[in-house]
Amino acid sequence: MNAPRIDIRDLTIRHLGRKRRCLEQVSLTIAPGERVLIAGPSGAGKSTLALCLNGLVPHSVDVHWVSGSVDISGEATSTLPPGDLTRRIGILFQDPDAQVVLSTIDEDIAFGLENRGIPPADMPALIARARLAVGLARNSDREADDQVRVPEQVDRLSGGARQRLTLAGLLAGNPDVLVLDEPVANLDPVGAATVWATVAALLGEDATRRQAIGRPVSQALAASPSNHQGTIDARNARHASRSLIVIEHTADDVLPLLDRVIVLDQDGRVALCGTPDDVFIGNRERVRSLGTRLPVWASVAHLTGSASLPRSLDEAALAFGEWTRRTGTPSSPVVEPEPQTRTTSNRAPLIGPRIALNGVSFRHRETDREAVSGVTLTCAPGELIAIVGANGAGKSTLGLMLAGVVQPTAGKVLLDGTPIEEVPAGDQRRRLRYVFQHPEHQFVGQTVRADLEAALRVEQLDAHAVARRVDDALRRADLEGLARANPFTLSHGQKRRLSVAGALLTGPDILVLDEPTFGQDDHHTAQLMATVNGRVADGCTAIVITHDLDLVACHATRVIAMREGSIIFDGTPAELLESDPILRSCSLRRPPAAELAWRARRLGFTTPPVTCRRDLELLKPTVSTTTGGTGFSDSLNLEPIVEPPAATPLREPVSMGAPPDAFGPGPRDTWLERRNPTVKFGVVIMLGFMMTFVFNPLTPLAWLAVIMVVAWTTGIRPLRLARLLGPVTAFAFSLLWTNAFLAAIPQGEPVLWQWGPFHLTVHGVVQGFSLAMRGVSTAAVGLLFILTTDPTLLVVSLVHHGRLPYQWGYALLAGYRFMPGLADELVQIRLARRVRGEDVTDERGIHGTWGGALRRRANGISRPFGELRILLTVAILRATRLAIAMDARGFAGITTRTYFRTAPLTPADPTFAVTSFLALTLVYVVTSWIAQTPWVPPS
Amino acid sequence: MNEPRTVKPSRPNGRGTSQNWRTTDLMVVVVVALVFGAIYFAWAGPYEWVAAFGGTPTQEAANGLWFVAGLLGPYLIRRPGAALASETLAALAEMLVGAPWGPSLVIYGVLQSIGAEATFALFGYRRWTLATMVIAGVAAGLVSLPYSWWDYGYFALDVPVLVTMLVTRTLGVAIAGILAKSLGDALVLTGALKDTAIGRARMEEV
């Protein structure tokens, strides 16, 4: 069976709650085995189109399907069963965190296979092959000299590795069509490069198979112990012509793979459709006007007058070098259209350093990890400083301290020479602005307009002036049509534009932007940076935290590279781009334009100083393009490549923040862990029931002792258990006090002390103590259960032996996996809302008045409500995204489900249950009997 | 256990038929349950102090918060079983975090959702007004009363105290209904719920 032919006819779609259409009369055909790029401005409906391909629209996501149809091999997606569609067409989304469902690599890859009812016996081979394909092979399956160590826990994987894991999950199911929806948008440059390298390698493999249909199976399969060779052979043949559909703003990384490029316009129409040569060379200006970034190779082709794109980086570099030699382009700088964006020297010197860090460190209280250590830094007015570095290098923390959002744990932050904590809060809010990486955390208004108005509250303007400035900001951010929309309903790019627009409204002195251009198309990036540059020209200090080195090279006056909390480089972008060791140690990669020039120089050419895309686009072609372009193949043979550039293999750290023992001992496997989780759960519930019949302190104490001993036999030291129980114990003892002072007084019980409703009796103390101990020992048994039970096995077992519907089981597992992250999110939300001034009453001199006091009080009550609303919003957004990703992996429309892991019931399990019951009952009877004996003589 | 299990094919695009849960609905209920599991756990501290200083009547009023998940979940996704699932799962989460009441919480979870579920069923899962939410809250509070009465040994208390407690309990759960509705309405405004029943019902085009 071959990859299906996809026919989209006249497709028009409108999202719920939007008047504007998202896709407008899109008609496309994607042939079997074709490789297509879909580009276009942000909000052009690219992602919606992707969701239509495998039936997630309309099966899982509701839209207004205005007209048209999507046919897979001649059958409409609306009539095909969803499970069938997602099996054949696999999709990879942007955010790795919104796609990983289970907590270990194997389980997560198996999730998709289980949903398709693949026999469990076949799974290990399929998983191993998929892991190998994406470079995440098990440590035991690797050669001894391989340096890469892969942690099995998903949480320990870096972003790029997690994205490759999701890709492996798709590949294991062997889809006929692979849809990649901006798969690297959330990754740092090296993470992105590894993902693309994996995709390219996969397709390379496909290409060889394309030529070799019918040949015996590959090595990996031959080695597999599977006896279902026949079915795998059949799948393998199908694999031969897998189609690829990529959605991207930046085409550079995928260009060599493509057969065709489709560009959508702002209204969701197909604006351009053709071969990469046709689109990127033939329609150069049109592509640009659509806000789509031109690949660097297309610029080279434009310069050299070639009618076809280079096929590799070396080819492009050689052509570029040749071109510079032929035209004798001087090595002097390119004409600068706006010199003030590059240097401040031509301006009157602005006074003094604006913000200075003096030996500043920041240590996280919970983890005791130093995010920033001993940084000294001075930022002057009119500087546009970029902070770059790998994920977790401390960039955001440094930015937060520069904006006065968090206080360093050591060292001083000085604003114009004054320690920042002495600057009045109002001044701080006016002069410093921080734009968070996740715009959602910072929204305070219910509509786009209200959110912008909130930003102007500090300025105390009249309504007319506010309206004028908000209108202006809406126009600049290109959000005019969405003024009444809720900020949370915007697309990623629009959300970011809104948060930046809000920060720019008040004209701050220091502006810190965390990843301002994530998910932005070319047009909006340029617009945003123009606005920032405008502020900088007025003397603002802008600090941009980013992974986009092209942006850095194009706009920054200075760049700071961080690694493990320290600054390891402070200089100009050009200097950074020349330094390989620093780039490598910061997980950075030279951006395409700079890489081109660098390679050309390595080939012995003298090139103009090209550091970013814009430099390249400003060069003027000297060979007329009308003279009939010659292909690269002709010009290439002029000269052999002098020196093949040393290919340094890209190695992204696979794990992140993993302690050394993360790869050490395997999963614990003690007698208690081997018990069936459902049986264990039953014992826990049974103990809970018995607990409600306990009214003396002795029984729970004895039970606690039993639990401690049992824990000890499984290698959990009693001390560790006690430490984990600490918070619960502290809380349980508050029960002791309330009962001791408030319990009802039995007949004849002497009152030792009385004050108002409070009275102390021996009975009350005993009662309180037994309640407290009840709490502690139930918590202890719950804790022991959690410590010795694998959550996935618990769910599998509850599905098999406990009649739990599998939908609930997996929804719970997925939710359980991302819940811990929400605690960090809450911290971020609090910070972000403080920056937006949500917890400060506004400063119109209402302090000391009744109205002010009331408003502060109301604020105090509504704040937790507001935080809860945002936390739930963020959690629900994540959950719904994850739900779509789960459906994309076949969770919707399951006909037969299998299970990769099993939790068998063994004869030892009933024995365990009965023994536990008898032992607990014995303890109960004995201790109750002892407790009945009068130990307090009645007075 | 390795043999494939055949399950009833689910119809994910069950628009119109309220019986079919979509993955989104499941996940929304799970998120509500887990977030409220954490809140339920955190509420135990303040609850004890309120109870200590105000006695059992205030304790009964403070009880109300523990009913919110079972009212909010169904308010958002409007499907049969949502109240039972949200409240029970929230209680389960609270137990697993280590609340001192342990497994008895799961029993409370089930009991505290029955009244709400019955109310919503009575309204055919169609009416979601403030009155519905308050009635659902009160029903949930009253249905679960006998068990706490027995578990906490309220039978030992004087009749006037019991009557006061009944009144404050009713007030507390009524407020829970109002809280669930206002929280749900605030969430709808953010647009995060556009793929759920309440989101579709409230959609306003811009």
Side-chain angles (χ1 to χ4, degrees):
Chain A
M1 194 170 117
N2 277 324
R5 174 190 166 91
I6 302 174
D7 283 302
I8 303 169
R9 263 192 306 269
D10 202 22
L11 184 64
T12 303
I13 277 180
R14 189 159 61 87
H15 277 296
L16 300 182
R18 285 280 186 278
K19 287 189 182 121
R20 211 176 66 88
R21 286 170 176 183
C22 162
L23 290 171
E24 182 79 57
Q25 310 219 305
V26 172
S27 291
L28 287 172
T29 296
I30 294 163
E34 207 180 1
R35 293 156 183 184
V36 181
L37 172 78
I38 299 176
S42 76
K46 305 186 292 292
S47 295
T48 311
L49 185 58
L51 291 177
C52 289
L53 296 177
N54 64 351
L56 287 174
V57 168
H59 292 295
S60 294
V61 180
D62 283 340
V63 295
H64 294 294
W65 189 293
V66 181
S67 72
S69 65
V70 179
D71 292 354
I72 307 297
S73 293
E75 287 186 85
T77 52
S78 52
T79 56
L80 283 167
D84 206 39
L85 285 163
T86 50
R87 183 176 54 76
R88 301 179 64 189
I89 303 175
I91 183 164
L92 183 65
F93 298 104
Q94 289 188 8
D95 184 0
D97 287 327
Q99 295 179 82
V100 176
V101 182
L102 298 172
S103 11
T104 71
I105 292 185
D106 284 355
E107 285 172 9
D108 193 64
I109 295 175
F111 178 70
L113 301 175
E114 294 174 332
N115 292 338
R116 273 143 217 176
I118 307 271
D122 290 354
M123 288 185 191
L126 291 171
I127 293 170
R129 203 180 74 186
R131 289 184 64 155
L132 193 70
V134 301
L136 290 174
R138 265 183 179 282
N139 294 332
S140 53
D141 292 351
R142 288 174 185 279
E143 322 239 317
D145 59 335
D146 198 334
Q147 297 295 303
V148 182
R149 280 277 163 270
V150 179
E152 293 296 315
Q153 293 296 319
V154 171
D155 291 338
R156 297 225 170 88
L157 293 174
S158 63
R162 251 183 273 184
Q163 197 66 323
R164 282 185 282 146
L165 164 64
T166 313
L167 187 58
L170 289 182
L171 293 174
N174 217 337
D176 301 322
V177 181
L178 209 51
V179 183
L180 312 176
D181 185 359
E182 299 195 42
V184 301
N186 287 21
L187 307 181
D188 61 29
V190 170
T194 57
V195 169
W196 285 128
T198 307
V199 172
L202 281 172
L203 291 174
E205 194 189 351
D206 278 7
T208 49
R209 288 201 184 153
R210 233 193 264 207
Q211 297 154 8
I213 296 179
R215 288 246 299 277
V217 287
S218 72
Q219 274 186 334
L221 278 172
S224 80
S226 164
N227 50 2
H228 293 259
Q229 206 71 61
T231 53
I232 293 180
D233 278 357
R235 274 194 222 121
N236 211 36
R238 189 170 74 207
H239 188 129
S241 54
R242 181 182 285 154
S243 316
L244 175 77
I245 296 161
V246 181
I247 293 170
E248 262 301 327
H249 285 301
T250 314
D252 289 276
D253 292 303
V254 274
L255 207 49
L257 307 177
L258 299 174
D259 296 329
R260 195 145 61 105
V261 177
I262 293 160
V263 187
L264 300 181
D265 68 11
Q266 193 59 58
D267 300 323
R269 289 174 208 275
V270 176
L272 291 168
C273 178
T275 63
D277 292 347
D278 287 347
V279 172
F280 288 128
I281 303 176
N283 290 287
R284 188 180 158 82
E285 289 313 314
R286 182 89 176 99
V287 169
R288 264 180 150 169
S289 68
L290 286 167
T292 298
R293 211 163 283 169
L294 277 168
V296 162
W297 295 0
S299 299
V300 173
H302 177 64
L303 286 177
T304 54
S306 163
S308 62
L309 292 165
R311 285 176 308 237
S312 71
L313 182 57
D314 289 328
E315 213 178 285
L318 188 65
F320 181 61
E322 284 292 332
W323 175 79
T324 48
R325 185 194 296 169
R326 205 164 54 234
T327 56
T329 302
S331 55
S332 63
V334 186
V335 193
E336 278 285 352
E338 358 159 38
Q340 75 277 10
T341 64
R342 276 289 179 90
T343 163
T344 55
S345 59
N346 59 344
R347 239 183 287 147
L350 298 152
I351 314 138
R354 186 143 288 151
I355 195 148
L357 301 183
N358 216 339
V360 157
S361 300
F362 186 84
R363 188 179 282 281
H364 285 287
R365 208 173 296 136
E366 309 85 38
T367 54
D368 203 39
R369 198 178 64 85
E370 226 172 41
V372 171
S373 36
V375 166
T376 297
L377 180 69
T378 305
C379 308
E383 273 191 306
L384 200 164
I385 304 172
I387 304 181
V388 297
N391 288 331
K395 305 188 298 289
S396 295
T397 313
L398 185 70
L400 286 168
M401 290 193 292
L402 280 168
V405 181
V406 299
Q407 304 298 327
T409 46
K412 279 250 168 282
V413 181
L414 302 169
L415 180 64
D416 283 337
T418 320
I420 199 152
E421 60 272 18
E422 289 165 26
V423 178
D427 272 9
Q428 275 192 38
R429 281 181 55 209
R430 239 185 314 275
R431 299 189 57 192
L432 310 172
R433 278 280 161 195
Y434 189 95
V435 178
F436 281 77
Q437 191 178 346
H438 297 289
E440 283 134 358
H441 297 164
Q442 252 178 317
F443 293 147
V444 295
Q446 297 286 10
T447 65
V448 168
R449 172 170 280 278
D451 199 71
L452 288 172
E453 283 167 356
L456 280 173
R457 235 173 3 203
V458 254
E459 302 258 310
Q460 299 164 33
L461 300 166
D462 62 273
H464 181 69
V466 168
R468 202 167 33 88
R469 280 175 64 177
V470 168
D471 284 339
D472 187 51
L474 284 172
R475 207 190 55 249
R476 277 166 177 275
D478 201 11
L479 293 170
E480 277 164 307
L482 294 164
R484 277 179 57 232
N486 187 288
F488 282 93
T489 62
L490 304 179
S491 78
H492 287 291
Q494 290 164 341
K495 280 180 189 164
R496 196 159 291 278
R497 258 140 58 202
L498 173 61
S499 63
V500 174
L504 287 170
L505 261 177
T506 50
D509 291 344
I510 315 267
L511 176 67
V512 183
L513 304 160
D514 198 346
E515 294 290 359
T517 57
F518 250 24
Q520 295 293 343
D521 57 45
D522 220 25
H523 174 65
H524 288 116
T525 302
Q527 218 169 27
L528 192 144
M529 289 315 293
T531 317
V532 172
N533 274 320
R535 295 286 181 206
V536 170
D538 294 341
C540 165
T541 307
I543 292 143
V544 178
I545 299 165
T546 184
H547 286 311
D548 185 351
L549 281 192
D550 203 74
L551 182 87
V552 172
C554 191
H555 297 283
T557 56
R558 179 178 163 195
V559 55
I560 288 167
M562 290 189 73
R563 185 187 159 80
E564 286 163 14
S566 306
I567 292 180
I568 59 164
F569 174 88
D570 186 349
T572 66
E575 284 163 14
L576 176 71
L577 292 176
E578 283 302 311
S579 167
D580 267 346
I582 291 188
L583 289 175
R584 232 194 331 269
S585 67
C586 292
S587 287
L588 294 170
R589 213 164 51 121
R590 221 171 265 116
E595 181 71 22
L596 178 84
W598 185 80
R599 292 252 172 148
R601 282 198 294 281
R602 289 288 298 265
L603 293 170
F605 297 102
T606 314
T607 66
V610 170
T611 55
C612 65
R613 240 173 255 276
R614 198 188 56 189
D615 290 345
L616 201 61
E617 281 170 24
L618 287 170
L619 293 173
K620 295 269 182 314
T622 44
V623 179
S624 165
T625 47
T626 54
T627 55
T630 52
F632 273 99
S633 39
D634 307 332
S635 57
L636 249 184
N637 298 332
L638 293 176
E639 203 173 294
I641 293 175
V642 194
E643 171 213 3
T648 42
L650 279 166
R651 271 282 163 80
E652 178 204 29
V654 171
S655 60
M656 97 190 158
D661 65 337
F663 315 110
R668 288 161 35 86
D669 185 31
T670 62
W671 69 271
L672 197 53
E673 263 126 11
R674 282 192 295 271
R675 294 288 66 76
N676 182 286
T678 308
V679 173
K680 268 194 282 183
F681 192 67
V683 171
V684 171
I685 297 286
M686 178 182 73
L687 183 67
F689 263 117
M690 293 168 82
M691 204 70 86
T692 51
F693 294 96
V694 169
F695 301 100
N696 74 74
L698 211 55
T699 311
L701 260 180
W703 274 339
L704 186 62
V706 173
I707 294 163
M708 289 281 191
V709 171
V710 170
W712 207 351
T713 64
T714 68
I716 300 166
R717 287 191 316 280
L719 205 65
R720 178 167 171 233
L721 203 61
R723 214 176 24 242
L724 288 170
L725 283 172
V728 180
T729 313
F731 160 69
F733 273 83
S734 70
L735 284 169
L736 198 164
W737 306 127
T738 55
N739 275 280
F741 290 106
L742 287 163
I745 310 163
Q747 206 76 49
E749 176 83 13
V751 176
L752 304 177
W753 175 83
Q754 181 142 24
W755 182 77
F758 304 102
H759 45 256
L760 186 66
T761 59
V762 171
H763 169 79
V765 173
V766 173
Q767 187 79 12
F769 190 66
S770 61
L771 275 178
M773 285 321 297
R774 234 161 113 164
V776 175
S777 55
T778 37
V781 75
L783 197 60
L784 182 62
F785 176 68
I786 292 172
L787 287 175
T788 58
T789 309
D790 181 321
T792 310
L793 278 190
L794 173 65
V795 162
V796 169
S797 168
L798 284 175
V799 168
H800 282 147
H801 312 118
R803 299 180 153 267
L804 176 74
Y806 74 90
Q807 289 98 330
W808 281 109
Y810 281 85
L812 274 171
L813 275 179
Y816 172 80
R817 218 192 71 72
F818 81 72
M819 280 322 270
L822 283 184
D824 299 338
E825 202 118 9
L826 186 62
V827 174
Q828 291 290 315
I829 289 169
R830 290 204 171 132
L831 275 182
R833 284 172 71 81
R834 207 169 72 212
V835 169
R836 289 299 302 267
E838 271 304 285
D839 67 343
V840 194
T841 330
D842 51 30
E843 299 143 27
R844 289 180 210 163
I846 52 168
H847 285 277
T849 66
W850 274 104
L854 264 178
R855 210 185 298 184
R856 271 202 305 282
R857 190 64 48 81
N859 209 348
I861 294 167
S862 68
R863 197 198 315 163
F865 191 76
E867 280 176 0
L868 178 61
R869 180 173 60 85
I870 295 193
L871 186 71
L872 270 173
T873 307
V874 172
I876 288 173
L877 278 174
R878 261 207 219 187
T880 46
R881 276 201 285 264
L882 190 58
I884 293 172
M886 286 164 79
D887 282 356
R889 292 169 69 186
F891 196 61
I894 289 176
T895 47
T896 305
R897 197 172 197 286
T898 51
Y899 294 86
F900 173 54
R901 297 184 67 189
T902 54
L905 268 172
T906 61
D909 290 312
T911 318
F912 166 72
V914 172
T915 317
S916 318
F917 177 70
L918 291 179
L920 292 172
T921 314
L922 184 70
V923 170
Y924 177 73
V925 171
V926 171
T927 49
S928 303
W929 179 73
I930 297 173
Q932 296 247 310
T933 55
W935 54 357
V936 181
S939 60
Chain B
M1 259 112 311
N2 272 355
E3 75 275 18
R5 287 189 158 230
T6 305
V7 296
K8 212 176 97 221
S10 72
R11 296 225 321 274
N13 55 339
R15 255 161 302 169
T17 65
S18 58
Q19 311 303 321
N20 289 312
W21 287 54
R22 305 207 296 186
T23 313
T24 311
D25 297 322
L26 291 170
M27 289 303 294
V28 167
V29 165
V30 163
V31 159
V32 167
L34 293 182
V35 168
F36 272 89
I39 293 171
Y40 283 6
F41 174 71
W43 183 238
Y47 170 80
E48 283 303 329
W49 287 108
V50 165
F53 290 102
T56 35
T58 41
Q59 181 179 338
E60 283 298 307
N63 238 334
L65 191 93
W66 280 314
F67 288 79
V68 175
L71 298 166
L72 179 61
Y75 187 66
L76 299 182
I77 68 158
R78 306 185 167 183
R79 285 186 198 278
L84 180 71
S86 316
E87 186 69 10
T88 310
L89 292 177
L92 190 71
E94 183 189 1
M95 169 199 125
L96 290 176
V97 182
W101 299 282
S104 71
L105 284 169
V106 181
I107 302 161
Y108 275 110
V110 174
L111 291 174
Q112 291 185 351
S113 64
I114 290 175
E117 192 68 61
T119 311
F120 297 138
L122 213 63
F123 285 106
Y125 300 95
R126 284 206 189 84
R127 276 175 59 85
W128 298 93
T129 56
L130 186 62
T132 315
M133 298 305 286
V134 169
I135 294 169
V138 172
L142 294 182
V143 169
S144 60
L145 182 61
Y147 183 67
S148 6
W149 186 74
W150 176 67
D151 191 28
Y152 278 81
Y154 289 162
F155 41 78
L157 297 172
D158 277 344
V159 175
V161 179
L162 279 176
V163 171
T164 325
M165 280 167 62
L166 191 68
V167 172
T168 52
R169 184 183 181 90
T170 310
L171 268 177
V173 286
I175 291 170
I178 299 169
L179 188 67
K181 184 176 188 306
S182 50
L183 193 56
D185 291 342
L187 285 173
V188 172
L189 286 177
T190 65
L193 290 160
K194 61 180 162 42
D195 287 330
T196 63
I198 190 174
R200 280 192 294 275
R202 298 279 182 83
M203 195 72 73
E204 198 187 318
E205 293 197 339
V206 288

